[in-house]
Amino acid sequence: MTSRRSTVQVRVAVIDDAITEDDETVVLSATTSDSQITDSSDTGLGTIEDDRGSDNPDVDEDITAEVVVGDAGTVEEADGNYLTYDVSLSNAVGSDVTVTLGTSGSATAGDDYGPLEYFNGSSWVEVPTSNEITLPADGSTVQVRVAVIDDAITEDDETVVLSATTSDSQITDSSDTDLEQ
């Protein structure tokens, strides 16, 4: 330090490591052997707080996951039967994730199966016309189902493919599908 300055600013760059962790500290030590100085050393403390997610404060906001659609199994064509899929994230992330649902396959919507429904925590409700549902940041499963319609036609097995897609930056694999009959 020159004789004209009494303060020097020292900066330490913080690196976002995408790890969920407790606060971390950086200790800067300064020492001198100059005989004009009565206290030859001192320290300064800095604290780095983890950047936690807004919807899930237990997870770093930079953690990523994949969208997962689980198997619905096979059911017999009969009124009152359902194909039920588990839709989730592969692990917890920092914020809730909105996914867009879609169906495809050899079965015909309206003739072979009814509209998409999801379990909102207390009851089954129809998926909104936007086809969007929210997956919780904690990675818990949202069940999605379609009612099977008995069309009284003799035919081969038919498939209903459920897809879930998102453009959320927390998601590394932005879509998944499940093929079921």
Side-chain angles (χ1 to χ4, degrees):
M1 185 172 348
T2 66
S3 61
R4 295 182 184 163
R5 300 194 68 193
S6 60
T7 302
V8 173
Q9 189 176 53
V10 178
R11 296 186 331 176
V12 177
V14 175
I15 298 172
D16 189 355
D17 57 12
I19 298 171
T20 304
E21 56 202 350
D22 293 329
D23 290 350
E24 298 170 298
T25 57
V26 176
V27 178
L28 178 65
S29 299
T31 59
T32 185
S33 58
D34 191 309
S35 62
Q36 301 174 76
I37 307 300
T38 57
D39 191 356
S40 63
S41 68
D42 199 6
T43 59
L45 177 69
T47 302
I48 302 169
E49 291 182 339
D50 196 28
D51 55 341
R52 301 297 175 98
S54 58
D55 294 318
N56 192 358
D58 295 329
V59 176
D60 187 281
E61 70 179 11
D62 301 310
I63 296 293
T64 59
E66 297 177 359
V67 174
V68 178
V69 177
D71 294 340
T74 301
V75 297
E76 191 172 305
E77 181 181 70
D79 292 337
N81 283 346
Y82 292 89
L83 288 171
T84 304
Y85 305 83
D86 289 337
V87 183
S88 64
L89 302 173
S90 58
N91 53 267
V93 293
S95 301
D96 293 344
V97 174
T98 299
V99 296
T100 302
L101 301 175
T103 58
S104 60
S106 61
T108 303
D111 292 339
D112 297 312
Y113 63 94
L116 286 171
E117 299 177 334
Y118 73 102
F119 191 72
N120 68 5
S122 58
S123 63
W124 287 96
V125 296
E126 197 167 312
V127 170
T129 57
S130 65
N131 287 331
E132 293 180 341
I133 62 169
T134 300
L135 300 180
D138 66 7
S140 58
T141 297
V142 174
Q143 289 189 309
V144 176
R145 72 181 185 182
V146 294
V148 175
I149 298 171
D150 188 352
D151 59 12
I153 299 172
T154 302
E155 55 199 349
D156 293 332
D157 290 346
E158 296 173 298
T159 59
V160 178
V161 178
L162 178 68
S163 63
T165 59
T166 187
S167 60
D168 192 299
S169 63
Q170 300 175 100
I171 307 304
T172 56
D173 187 356
S174 63
S175 68
D176 195 19
T177 59
D178 185 56
L179 172 68
E180 289 307 322
Q181 302 177 20

